[in-house]
Amino acid sequence: MDLSTWVMVVVLAWTVLGLVLVASIWSRAPWKAVMAWLGIALVPVGLWLAGLSQQAIDGWNTLALWWQNLTFTIPVIIGLSVLGLAAVLLLGSRLVPTRKRTRKPKPTTGPSTGPSSVPPASSPPSYRQPPASGTQAEQTLILPENRTGT
């Protein structure tokens, strides 16, 4: 088999593995996580169908050559440390559980003198008024519920 056939087999196997993972977490994981893993599972087949698989392989090989020829100087070590910190922060942010935001109740110790003492309005305010003249051009600039009979 030639290289393109091997690439096709690897891409399809990787995608099927990702879809099996998505199917296994479908009922237990939150909707957001399922959609993220589904997107990740579809990346290899999308790259292959778009004809970008060879460029992805070349990118990986370029990264490997860079790593092999890397000279560890102070700026390089600092740069790799910053990249490592960025990766830890990105991955760590996914592990932190989210909690719903709730407002703290306001203390009701005395008589209320703030905006809550104002009675509610009987109807919502109308911010848009119909135009004085009833031309069709002016009628298209306002909301349909404010149009006068034409």
Side-chain angles (χ1 to χ4, degrees):
M1 285 197 296
D2 62 336
L3 180 63
S4 63
T5 306
W6 281 108
V7 168
M8 177 188 67
V9 168
V10 169
V11 161
L12 292 177
W14 190 259
T15 300
V16 167
L17 180 68
L19 293 176
V20 167
L21 174 72
V22 168
S24 68
I25 67 168
W26 188 270
S27 63
R28 293 181 305 236
W31 182 80
K32 187 170 92 171
V34 170
M35 291 299 120
W37 280 108
L38 184 61
I40 291 169
L42 294 176
V43 165
V45 77
L47 287 173
W48 177 64
L49 289 174
L52 294 172
S53 57
Q54 187 60 46
Q55 284 74 14
I57 292 169
D58 290 344
W60 180 261
N61 291 339
T62 302
L63 188 62
L65 283 173
W66 167 80
W67 182 257
Q68 291 169 356
N69 297 327
L70 186 62
T71 305
F72 286 98
T73 61
I74 296 296
V76 170
I77 292 172
I78 292 172
L80 289 174
S81 300
V82 169
L83 287 174
L85 177 63
V88 166
L89 289 173
L90 286 171
L91 294 175
S93 69
R94 297 292 296 170
L95 299 175
V96 174
T98 57
R99 58 187 167 116
K100 298 190 188 256
R101 293 184 174 196
T102 58
R103 293 185 181 208
K104 295 180 181 177
K106 293 182 180 180
T108 57
T109 56
S112 60
T113 58
S116 62
S117 64
V118 176
S122 60
S123 66
S126 175
Y127 294 108
R128 296 185 181 188
Q129 299 297 323
S133 66
T135 65
Q136 186 63 27
E138 290 176 343
Q139 290 292 324
T140 59
L141 299 176
I142 60 172
L143 295 174
E145 61 266 13
N146 291 337
R147 292 183 184 167
T148 55
T150 328

